mmCIF file with all atom_site columns, all heavy atoms in Angstrom:
data_model
loop_
_atom_site.group_PDB
_atom_site.id
_atom_site.type_symbol
_atom_site.label_atom_id
_atom_site.label_alt_id
_atom_site.label_comp_id
_atom_site.label_asym_id
_atom_site.label_entity_id
_atom_site.label_seq_id
_atom_site.pdbx_PDB_ins_code
_atom_site.Cartn_x
_atom_site.Cartn_y
_atom_site.Cartn_z
_atom_site.occupancy
_atom_site.B_iso_or_equiv
_atom_site.pdbx_formal_charge
_atom_site.auth_seq_id
_atom_site.auth_comp_id
_atom_site.auth_asym_id
_atom_site.auth_atom_id
_atom_site.pdbx_PDB_model_num
ATOM 1  N N   . GLU A 1 140 ? 8.375  -28.261 10.254 1.00 97.00 ? 140 GLU A N   1
ATOM 2  C CA  . GLU A 1 140 ? 7.702  -28.899 11.402 1.00 97.00 ? 140 GLU A CA  1
ATOM 3  C C   . GLU A 1 140 ? 7.550  -27.897 12.549 1.00 97.00 ? 140 GLU A C   1
ATOM 4  O O   . GLU A 1 140 ? 6.483  -27.799 13.168 1.00 97.00 ? 140 GLU A O   1
ATOM 5  C CB  . GLU A 1 140 ? 8.540  -30.099 11.846 1.00 97.00 ? 140 GLU A CB  1
ATOM 6  C CG  . GLU A 1 140 ? 7.725  -31.133 12.589 1.00 97.00 ? 140 GLU A CG  1
ATOM 7  C CD  . GLU A 1 140 ? 8.598  -32.351 12.864 1.00 97.00 ? 140 GLU A CD  1
ATOM 8  O OE1 . GLU A 1 140 ? 9.107  -32.945 11.894 1.00 97.00 ? 140 GLU A OE1 1
ATOM 9  O OE2 . GLU A 1 140 ? 8.787  -32.659 14.056 1.00 97.00 ? 140 GLU A OE2 1
ATOM 10 N N   . ILE A 1 141 ? 8.621  -27.155 12.813 1.00 97.00 ? 141 ILE A N   1
ATOM 11 C CA  . ILE A 1 141 ? 8.541  -26.150 13.901 1.00 97.00 ? 141 ILE A CA  1
ATOM 12 C C   . ILE A 1 141 ? 7.475  -25.103 13.543 1.00 97.00 ? 141 ILE A C   1
ATOM 13 O O   . ILE A 1 141 ? 6.672  -24.701 14.381 1.00 97.00 ? 141 ILE A O   1
ATOM 14 C CB  . ILE A 1 141 ? 9.903  -25.452 14.130 1.00 97.00 ? 141 ILE A CB  1
ATOM 15 C CG1 . ILE A 1 141 ? 10.946 -26.481 14.547 1.00 97.00 ? 141 ILE A CG1 1
ATOM 16 C CG2 . ILE A 1 141 ? 9.786  -24.340 15.166 1.00 97.00 ? 141 ILE A CG2 1
ATOM 17 C CD1 . ILE A 1 141 ? 12.369 -25.922 14.602 1.00 97.00 ? 141 ILE A CD1 1
ATOM 18 N N   . ALA A 1 142 ? 7.457  -24.703 12.263 1.00 97.00 ? 142 ALA A N   1
ATOM 19 C CA  . ALA A 1 142 ? 6.499  -23.669 11.841 1.00 97.00 ? 142 ALA A CA  1
ATOM 20 C C   . ALA A 1 142 ? 5.056  -24.146 11.991 1.00 97.00 ? 142 ALA A C   1
ATOM 21 O O   . ALA A 1 142 ? 4.141  -23.346 12.147 1.00 97.00 ? 142 ALA A O   1
ATOM 22 C CB  . ALA A 1 142 ? 6.780  -23.271 10.389 1.00 97.00 ? 142 ALA A CB  1
ATOM 23 N N   . ASN A 1 143 ? 4.869  -25.455 11.956 1.00 96.00 ? 143 ASN A N   1
ATOM 24 C CA  . ASN A 1 143 ? 3.514  -26.003 12.089 1.00 96.00 ? 143 ASN A CA  1
ATOM 25 C C   . ASN A 1 143 ? 3.112  -26.248 13.535 1.00 96.00 ? 143 ASN A C   1
ATOM 26 O O   . ASN A 1 143 ? 2.057  -26.814 13.809 1.00 96.00 ? 143 ASN A O   1
ATOM 27 C CB  . ASN A 1 143 ? 3.404  -27.320 11.309 1.00 96.00 ? 143 ASN A CB  1
ATOM 28 C CG  . ASN A 1 143 ? 3.124  -27.061 9.846  1.00 96.00 ? 143 ASN A CG  1
ATOM 29 O OD1 . ASN A 1 143 ? 2.593  -26.003 9.487  1.00 96.00 ? 143 ASN A OD1 1
ATOM 30 N ND2 . ASN A 1 143 ? 3.479  -28.010 8.990  1.00 96.00 ? 143 ASN A ND2 1
ATOM 31 N N   . CYS A 1 144 ? 3.959  -25.783 14.452 1.00 91.00 ? 144 CYS A N   1
ATOM 32 C CA  . CYS A 1 144 ? 3.763  -26.112 15.860 1.00 91.00 ? 144 CYS A CA  1
ATOM 33 C C   . CYS A 1 144 ? 2.446  -25.614 16.425 1.00 91.00 ? 144 CYS A C   1
ATOM 34 O O   . CYS A 1 144 ? 1.826  -26.221 17.261 1.00 91.00 ? 144 CYS A O   1
ATOM 35 C CB  . CYS A 1 144 ? 4.858  -25.452 16.682 1.00 91.00 ? 144 CYS A CB  1
ATOM 36 S SG  . CYS A 1 144 ? 4.738  -23.655 16.555 1.00 91.00 ? 144 CYS A SG  1
ATOM 37 N N   . CYS A 1 145 ? 2.018  -24.419 15.912 1.00 89.00 ? 145 CYS A N   1
ATOM 38 C CA  . CYS A 1 145 ? 1.174  -23.641 16.813 1.00 89.00 ? 145 CYS A CA  1
ATOM 39 C C   . CYS A 1 145 ? -0.294 -23.599 16.423 1.00 89.00 ? 145 CYS A C   1
ATOM 40 O O   . CYS A 1 145 ? -1.144 -23.564 17.296 1.00 89.00 ? 145 CYS A O   1
ATOM 41 C CB  . CYS A 1 145 ? 1.730  -22.230 16.901 1.00 89.00 ? 145 CYS A CB  1
ATOM 42 S SG  . CYS A 1 145 ? 3.505  -22.276 17.115 1.00 89.00 ? 145 CYS A SG  1
ATOM 43 N N   . ASP A 1 146 ? -0.565 -23.573 15.128 1.00 86.00 ? 146 ASP A N   1
ATOM 44 C CA  . ASP A 1 146 ? -1.980 -23.535 14.745 1.00 86.00 ? 146 ASP A CA  1
ATOM 45 C C   . ASP A 1 146 ? -2.379 -24.891 14.192 1.00 86.00 ? 146 ASP A C   1
ATOM 46 O O   . ASP A 1 146 ? -2.412 -25.117 12.997 1.00 86.00 ? 146 ASP A O   1
ATOM 47 C CB  . ASP A 1 146 ? -2.233 -22.411 13.724 1.00 86.00 ? 146 ASP A CB  1
ATOM 48 C CG  . ASP A 1 146 ? -3.703 -22.023 13.713 1.00 86.00 ? 146 ASP A CG  1
ATOM 49 O OD1 . ASP A 1 146 ? -4.541 -22.945 13.798 1.00 86.00 ? 146 ASP A OD1 1
ATOM 50 O OD2 . ASP A 1 146 ? -4.005 -20.826 13.652 1.00 86.00 ? 146 ASP A OD2 1
ATOM 51 N N   . ARG A 1 147 ? -2.702 -25.794 15.122 1.00 89.00 ? 147 ARG A N   1
ATOM 52 C CA  . ARG A 1 147 ? -3.028 -27.166 14.698 1.00 89.00 ? 147 ARG A CA  1
ATOM 53 C C   . ARG A 1 147 ? -4.311 -27.190 13.874 1.00 89.00 ? 147 ARG A C   1
ATOM 54 O O   . ARG A 1 147 ? -4.490 -28.060 13.026 1.00 89.00 ? 147 ARG A O   1
ATOM 55 C CB  . ARG A 1 147 ? -3.168 -28.100 15.909 1.00 89.00 ? 147 ARG A CB  1
ATOM 56 C CG  . ARG A 1 147 ? -1.922 -28.255 16.767 1.00 89.00 ? 147 ARG A CG  1
ATOM 57 C CD  . ARG A 1 147 ? -0.653 -28.575 16.000 1.00 89.00 ? 147 ARG A CD  1
ATOM 58 N NE  . ARG A 1 147 ? -0.730 -29.783 15.180 1.00 89.00 ? 147 ARG A NE  1
ATOM 59 C CZ  . ARG A 1 147 ? 0.188  -30.153 14.294 1.00 89.00 ? 147 ARG A CZ  1
ATOM 60 N NH1 . ARG A 1 147 ? 1.244  -29.394 14.095 1.00 89.00 ? 147 ARG A NH1 1
ATOM 61 N NH2 . ARG A 1 147 ? 0.044  -31.262 13.603 1.00 89.00 ? 147 ARG A NH2 1
ATOM 62 N N   . VAL A 1 148 ? -5.219 -26.247 14.117 1.00 92.00 ? 148 VAL A N   1
ATOM 63 C CA  . VAL A 1 148 ? -6.489 -26.253 13.365 1.00 92.00 ? 148 VAL A CA  1
ATOM 64 C C   . VAL A 1 148 ? -6.201 -26.037 11.887 1.00 92.00 ? 148 VAL A C   1
ATOM 65 O O   . VAL A 1 148 ? -6.679 -26.789 11.023 1.00 92.00 ? 148 VAL A O   1
ATOM 66 C CB  . VAL A 1 148 ? -7.460 -25.167 13.900 1.00 92.00 ? 148 VAL A CB  1
ATOM 67 C CG1 . VAL A 1 148 ? -8.740 -25.123 13.076 1.00 92.00 ? 148 VAL A CG1 1
ATOM 68 C CG2 . VAL A 1 148 ? -7.783 -25.420 15.359 1.00 92.00 ? 148 VAL A CG2 1
ATOM 69 N N   . ILE A 1 149 ? -5.388 -25.028 11.592 1.00 95.00 ? 149 ILE A N   1
ATOM 70 C CA  . ILE A 1 149 ? -5.053 -24.753 10.190 1.00 95.00 ? 149 ILE A CA  1
ATOM 71 C C   . ILE A 1 149 ? -4.363 -25.961 9.561  1.00 95.00 ? 149 ILE A C   1
ATOM 72 O O   . ILE A 1 149 ? -4.664 -26.362 8.439  1.00 95.00 ? 149 ILE A O   1
ATOM 73 C CB  . ILE A 1 149 ? -4.164 -23.484 10.079 1.00 95.00 ? 149 ILE A CB  1
ATOM 74 C CG1 . ILE A 1 149 ? -5.043 -22.237 10.290 1.00 95.00 ? 149 ILE A CG1 1
ATOM 75 C CG2 . ILE A 1 149 ? -3.444 -23.411 8.728  1.00 95.00 ? 149 ILE A CG2 1
ATOM 76 C CD1 . ILE A 1 149 ? -4.344 -20.908 10.093 1.00 95.00 ? 149 ILE A CD1 1
ATOM 77 N N   . VAL A 1 150 ? -3.464 -26.576 10.324 1.00 94.00 ? 150 VAL A N   1
ATOM 78 C CA  . VAL A 1 150 ? -2.733 -27.741 9.789  1.00 94.00 ? 150 VAL A CA  1
ATOM 79 C C   . VAL A 1 150 ? -3.709 -28.886 9.535  1.00 94.00 ? 150 VAL A C   1
ATOM 80 O O   . VAL A 1 150 ? -3.688 -29.533 8.481  1.00 94.00 ? 150 VAL A O   1
ATOM 81 C CB  . VAL A 1 150 ? -1.599 -28.158 10.757 1.00 94.00 ? 150 VAL A CB  1
ATOM 82 C CG1 . VAL A 1 150 ? -0.948 -29.457 10.305 1.00 94.00 ? 150 VAL A CG1 1
ATOM 83 C CG2 . VAL A 1 150 ? -0.557 -27.046 10.859 1.00 94.00 ? 150 VAL A CG2 1
ATOM 84 N N   . GLU A 1 151 ? -4.621 -29.124 10.491 1.00 95.00 ? 151 GLU A N   1
ATOM 85 C CA  . GLU A 1 151 ? -5.593 -30.207 10.308 1.00 95.00 ? 151 GLU A CA  1
ATOM 86 C C   . GLU A 1 151 ? -6.520 -29.948 9.126  1.00 95.00 ? 151 GLU A C   1
ATOM 87 O O   . GLU A 1 151 ? -6.993 -30.874 8.479  1.00 95.00 ? 151 GLU A O   1
ATOM 88 C CB  . GLU A 1 151 ? -6.411 -30.418 11.589 1.00 95.00 ? 151 GLU A CB  1
ATOM 89 C CG  . GLU A 1 151 ? -5.744 -31.443 12.504 1.00 95.00 ? 151 GLU A CG  1
ATOM 90 C CD  . GLU A 1 151 ? -6.090 -31.230 13.961 1.00 95.00 ? 151 GLU A CD  1
ATOM 91 O OE1 . GLU A 1 151 ? -7.234 -30.786 14.238 1.00 95.00 ? 151 GLU A OE1 1
ATOM 92 O OE2 . GLU A 1 151 ? -5.219 -31.482 14.816 1.00 95.00 ? 151 GLU A OE2 1
#
Side-chain angles (χ1 to χ4, degrees):
E140 204 174 301
I141 299 172
N143 277 336
C144 63
C145 315
D146 201 320
R147 299 310 303 171
V148 177
I149 285 185
V150 173
E151 270 153 33

